[in-house]
DNA sequence: ATGACACGCCGAGCGTGA
């Protein structure tokens, strides 16, 4: 069964509602994984999504972080956050099974600054997720892990290598944490189709970064073996960036045959 | 570049993002 999945950090679903609905109407993906919804579940604008025929699955809180998985088929299984205690300090993980595929929709902690306590939290967060996903990946079920990873994997994924060296989103510790998470057989669908450098998914609002091509590739789609083989195309969609009041992230499409 | 820009927050600057 073919699958068209999109991941998009929308930087507030309410501030971006018109953009998101326009996008949904235009592309009709099977699954839309949103991050940074910045709204508690009872105030999420579910109705317009339901009017488009989608099921809305939420894990949010007031004002910051938050994830939502919008899907044509209703999930057969839903887990919010880590599956083992203690609870995460923010809503960042929505783990659903949709049409037989387990989909982890992630908003990875930013890390804030290397000398802040948010940085070790980011690294520990990856270790917890790795332990959880390793228990799943071994099973027969195919897995997609997608979302805003807040890590640029390698030199091709940053606009200024010198400036990014040893800085947040591009440290050896973060690269190790990401490698650990992926070591159970998750592979980068974008890199299946392109070795090109400078293909970014995030551009700072400041300093005309988008116009200058100053960005990072931090929004990713990873898949296990069978699904990775079925990955036919990945697209960083620049069109919504030209709309009024855009998100600082592009939506990333992933098609599976 | 301690910069910029944008979000939500019981309402004005501030924390946060990347």
């Amino acid at each position: 069964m073919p699958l068209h999945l999109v991941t998009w950090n929308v930087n507030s679903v309410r501030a971006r509602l018109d953009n998101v609905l326009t996008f949904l109407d235009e592309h009709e993906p099977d699954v839309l994984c949103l991050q940074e919804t910045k709204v508690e579940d009872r105030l999420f604008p579910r109705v317009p999504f339901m009017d488009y025929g989608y099921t809305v699955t939420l894990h949010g809180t007031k004002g910051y972080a938050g994830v939502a998985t919008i899907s044509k088929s209703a999930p057969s299984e839903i887990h919010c956050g880590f599956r083992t205690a203690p609870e995460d300090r923010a809503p960042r993980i929505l783990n659903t099974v949709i049409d037989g595929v387990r989909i982890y929709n992630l908003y990875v902690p930013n890390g804030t600054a290397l000398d802040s306590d948010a940085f070790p939290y980011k690294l520990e967060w990856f270790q917890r997720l790795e332990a959880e996903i390793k228990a799943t990946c071994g099973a027969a079920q195919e897995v997609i892990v997608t979302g805003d990873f807040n890590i640029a994997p390698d030199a091709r994924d940053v606009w200024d290598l010198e400036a990014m060296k040893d800085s947040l989103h591009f440290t050896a510790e973060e690269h190790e944490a990401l490698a650990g998470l992926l070591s159970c057989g998750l592979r980068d669908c974008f890199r299946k189709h392109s070795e090109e450098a400078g293909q970014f998914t995030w551009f700072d609002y400041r300093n005309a970064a988008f116009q200058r091509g100053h960005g990072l590739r931090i929004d990713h789609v990873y898949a296990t073996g069978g699904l990775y083989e079925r990955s036919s195309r990945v697209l960083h969609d620049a069109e919504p960036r030209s709309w009024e009041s855009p998100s600082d992230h592009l939506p990333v499409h992933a098609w599976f045959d």
Side-chain angles (χ1 to χ4, degrees):
Chain A
M1 174 172 189
L3 168 65
H4 175 196
L5 174 143
V6 174
T7 180
W8 194 7
N9 179 323
V10 287
N11 186 15
S12 170
V13 71
R14 287 180 296 178
R16 219 68 61 210
L17 188 59
D18 287 351
N19 287 16
V20 175
L21 294 175
T22 299
F23 179 89
L24 203 62
D25 192 36
E26 212 169 277
H27 297 282
E28 299 182 1
D30 300 302
V31 179
L32 175 61
C33 295
L34 302 177
Q35 300 90 35
E36 282 208 87
T37 52
K38 296 190 174 181
V39 63
E40 58 198 295
D41 294 349
R42 67 183 184 89
L43 295 178
F44 190 101
R46 296 165 175 266
V47 172
F49 292 96
M50 293 163 66
D51 286 346
Y52 277 100
Y54 283 87
T55 298
V56 176
T57 308
L58 301 174
H59 184 38
T61 193
K62 192 195 283 191
Y64 72 110
V67 282
T69 300
I70 313 290
S71 56
K72 283 184 178 170
S73 303
S76 59
E77 203 181 307
I78 300 168
H79 294 283
C80 296
F82 290 114
R83 296 183 72 157
T84 54
E87 201 179 329
D88 201 351
R89 56 167 92 163
R92 302 180 177 278
I93 302 173
L94 194 44
N95 165 8
T96 56
V97 176
I98 296 171
D99 296 328
V101 179
R102 184 172 298 282
I103 300 173
Y104 277 89
N105 175 7
L106 305 180
Y107 175 48
V108 173
N110 172 292
T112 308
L114 299 186
D115 60 357
S116 72
D117 74 343
F119 189 67
Y121 161 62
K122 181 178 191 175
L123 299 177
E124 287 158 18
W125 192 94
F126 264 101
Q127 287 182 345
R128 284 190 72 186
L129 190 65
E130 177 182 340
E132 175 174 326
I133 288 183
K134 278 198 167 145
T136 310
C137 269
Q141 187 170 48
E142 297 287 358
V143 180
I144 290 175
V145 182
T146 188
D148 175 0
F149 280 72
N150 274 315
I151 295 179
D154 66 53
R156 299 167 293 178
D157 303 318
V158 300
W159 69 274
D160 185 339
L161 190 56
E162 277 311 302
M164 284 304 293
K165 218 158 219 173
D166 301 322
S167 50
L168 191 65
H169 308 112
F170 202 69
T171 62
E173 292 100 318
E174 288 164 290
H175 288 147
E176 248 172 67
L178 179 60
L181 176 68
L182 303 180
S183 63
C184 63
L186 288 163
R187 301 177 71 185
D188 185 342
C189 293
F190 176 76
R191 285 296 176 213
K192 178 181 177 184
H193 307 291
S194 172
E195 296 295 331
E196 208 176 331
Q199 300 300 300
F200 305 132
T201 66
W202 172 84
F203 301 88
D204 203 308
Y205 285 118
R206 298 168 290 185
N207 221 10
F210 179 67
Q211 288 76 5
R212 296 177 175 187
H214 295 178
L216 301 173
R217 189 174 75 93
I218 55 176
D219 300 272
H220 306 147
V221 181
Y222 296 98
T224 51
L227 264 168
Y228 179 82
E229 292 307 318
R230 286 169 50 200
S231 167
S232 56
R233 188 185 178 207
V234 173
L235 173 71
H236 301 160
D237 191 346
E239 197 202 337
R241 187 69 184 226
S242 69
W243 299 346
E244 196 175 339
S245 187
S247 169
D248 48 355
H249 294 251
L250 307 188
V252 177
H253 299 255
W255 287 272
F256 301 87
D257 287 334

